Amino acid sequence: MTCVVSKLPACHIIPESLIEFTIKRVRSVITYQETSYHRRTSSPSLTKLVKRVIRKCRIQTPTLLVALIYIDRLQKYLPVQAVGSSTTGHRIFLASLILASKFHDDASLWCADIARIVSKYWGVSEINEMERVFLNYVKFDLWVDNSELRNYMQDKHIHINIDY
């Protein structure tokens, strides 16, 4: 997966190529198996959810990149045979983004902020649970320094100019 953008616009809108990279990355974390329960429950497509949350929460590029690093860490800790439901990707994305925002962003995003956007599908308590589960899987390993961020971008061929 490669994401190439020469320069971010002045308003720091996340480039579509990075959003698409994020969606592909989230989908590749775990094998999904739909159950009859999950066929009955309503949820937005992963693409729709990612785009809506990024837009409504005004997510900055460095925060999204840190969330992607967290997603990579999660995958390292998951058992190889792990199987998720049709909404597991949604949960992984939301939890990683909340944690990246809380740990690395001065204007952090909180579970209640996300809950307002996804209230049709999940409540605050469910979002809090997503965050707790994610933290447990990554063993609370949330530190990301500028060097790791640069290395991640280089390894994944993400060419975006960001302010550190």
Side-chain angles (χ1 to χ4, degrees):
M1 291 185 270
T2 301
C3 175
V4 180
V5 174
S6 60
K7 189 175 181 181
L8 284 177
C11 59
H12 289 357
I13 293 173
I14 294 181
E16 188 66 28
S17 57
L18 183 56
I19 293 170
E20 292 303 320
F21 175 85
T22 301
I23 294 163
K24 286 178 186 172
R25 182 66 194 102
V26 170
R27 284 187 177 136
S28 70
V29 172
I30 193 168
T31 302
Y32 300 98
Q33 181 177 5
E34 195 172 300
T35 64
S36 59
Y37 168 78
H38 290 103
R39 277 191 289 271
R40 288 192 315 264
T41 56
S42 145
S43 64
S45 72
L46 181 62
T47 299
K48 198 178 232 180
L49 177 84
V50 168
K51 289 180 177 185
R52 183 166 192 212
V53 169
I54 286 172
R55 186 183 78 245
K56 293 265 186 188
C57 294
R58 297 182 179 145
I59 302 301
Q60 298 293 308
T61 301
T63 303
L64 184 58
L65 290 168
V66 169
L68 286 164
I69 290 170
Y70 290 170
I71 290 168
D72 277 13
R73 288 179 186 172
L74 172 70
Q75 189 170 29
K76 289 176 189 171
Y77 289 115
L78 284 174
V80 176
Q81 70 279 12
V83 176
S85 73
S86 60
T87 62
T88 299
H90 300 64
R91 294 167 186 274
I92 288 170
F93 171 72
L94 292 172
S96 66
L97 193 63
I98 290 167
L99 291 168
S101 179
K102 283 183 178 180
F103 203 75
H104 290 275
D105 194 350
D106 291 337
S108 67
L109 182 63
W110 296 94
C111 294
D113 299 324
I114 290 288
R116 280 191 288 280
I117 295 167
V118 299
S119 62
K120 183 176 177 182
Y121 312 104
W122 300 284
V124 175
S125 61
E126 289 173 293
I127 294 168
N128 284 330
E129 181 65 16
M130 292 175 201
E131 185 180 18
R132 276 192 297 279
V133 169
F134 194 100
L135 276 169
N136 286 325
Y137 270 112
V138 298
K139 301 180 185 337
F140 291 78
D141 181 14
L142 298 179
W143 179 253
V144 176
D145 61 21
N146 290 341
S147 172
E148 185 175 4
L149 188 57
R150 279 191 295 273
N151 289 339
Y152 181 84
M153 291 171 63
Q154 184 176 12
D155 290 346
K156 302 295 184 189
H157 307 286
I158 299 171
H159 306 290
I160 297 174
N161 295 328
I162 60 172
D163 298 327
Y164 291 100

